[in-house]
Amino acid sequence: MSTKRLYIIRHGETDYNKRGIVQGSGIDADLNATGRAQARAFFEAYGHIPFQTVYTSELKRTHQSVQHFLELDIPHIILPGLNEISWGTKEGKVPNSLDDSNYYKLVEAWKQGDTHIPVEGGESPNQVAERQRGALKTILDNTEEELILVAMHGRAMRILLAQMSKLPLSEMDYFEHKNLCLYLVEYSYTEDSFSIVEHNNVEHLKSLTV
């Protein structure tokens, strides 16, 4: 096998997403009704694909997003390296104007290349990238897989896709995402390189927004 196709999705909507409350890796929220409908819509669109393994983070919102695939008895591997960034002291809080200001200052610092700066009480993008490299190695080391499904989180997804694209983490915000969006990525073992085939694809969710 010379290539691997990775279907990488962000988890479905939670009430924290809906209310604008910070989640991060320290909040283990369930999908809400919309999130469950998104998971069903994704399965209806992609359930025919013979995935050989489903990879998720430790957090149950990723497990619930791929539950219909797991019910097909596809092997499920949980990788802590795929967890969302830790937003530290911001987790579980509705941001106020001061929090918003501090957040935008932090994100701006990251955009300027200071991706070593962590969230207060949490992680930096560099730290997330480091743990992701271990998770990605686990995925790529299984050379018998050709089709895999990966469920993870918004900020973590941006960091991972930047690494796959060999971009500095300062450019991670280029990778937009919505709940239960799809990034389809191809990996070439011969060239040791990734190619992003589909960006932030939400075509499968159109029936939910009509």
Side-chain angles (χ1 to χ4, degrees), residues 114-134:
D114 295 324
T115 52
H116 64 283
I117 299 176
V119 183
E120 181 182 355
E123 291 180 294
S124 70
N126 287 3
Q127 289 172 316
V128 176
E130 177 62 29
R131 60 174 166 81
Q132 285 182 349
R133 284 191 281 273

Side-chain angles (χ1 to χ4, degrees), residues 75-101:
H76 178 201
I77 296 178
I78 298 171
L79 297 176
L82 298 178
N83 284 359
E84 178 61 300
I85 191 171
S86 170
W87 288 107
T89 59
K90 300 181 183 301
E91 293 185 351
K93 298 179 181 178
V94 178
N96 56 35
S97 59
L98 179 60
D99 290 330
D100 284 341
S101 176

Side-chain angles (χ1 to χ4, degrees), residues 122-197:
E123 291 180 294
S124 70
N126 287 3
Q127 289 172 316
V128 176
E130 177 62 29
R131 60 174 166 81
Q132 285 182 349
R133 284 191 281 273
L136 192 55
K137 183 178 186 300
T138 296
I139 292 171
L140 297 182
D141 279 352
N142 191 338
T143 57
E144 295 182 0
E145 297 172 337
E146 294 185 46
L147 293 164
I148 66 169
L149 179 59
V150 181
M152 51 187 306
H153 308 264
R155 177 60 61 175
M157 178 184 287
R158 284 177 161 165
I159 294 170
L160 181 64
L161 292 167
Q163 293 197 85
M164 288 177 165
S165 302
K166 297 185 178 178
L167 293 173
L169 297 185
S170 59
E171 297 185 33
M172 60 185 158
D173 283 356
Y174 165 76
F175 300 101
E176 297 181 349
H177 56 73
K178 296 181 180 180
N179 284 114
L180 226 304
C181 72
L182 167 67
Y183 274 83
L184 175 57
V185 180
E186 291 186 349
Y187 175 73
S188 168
Y189 281 94
T190 55
E191 298 179 9
D192 186 25
S193 65
F194 295 92
S195 175
I196 299 177
V197 180

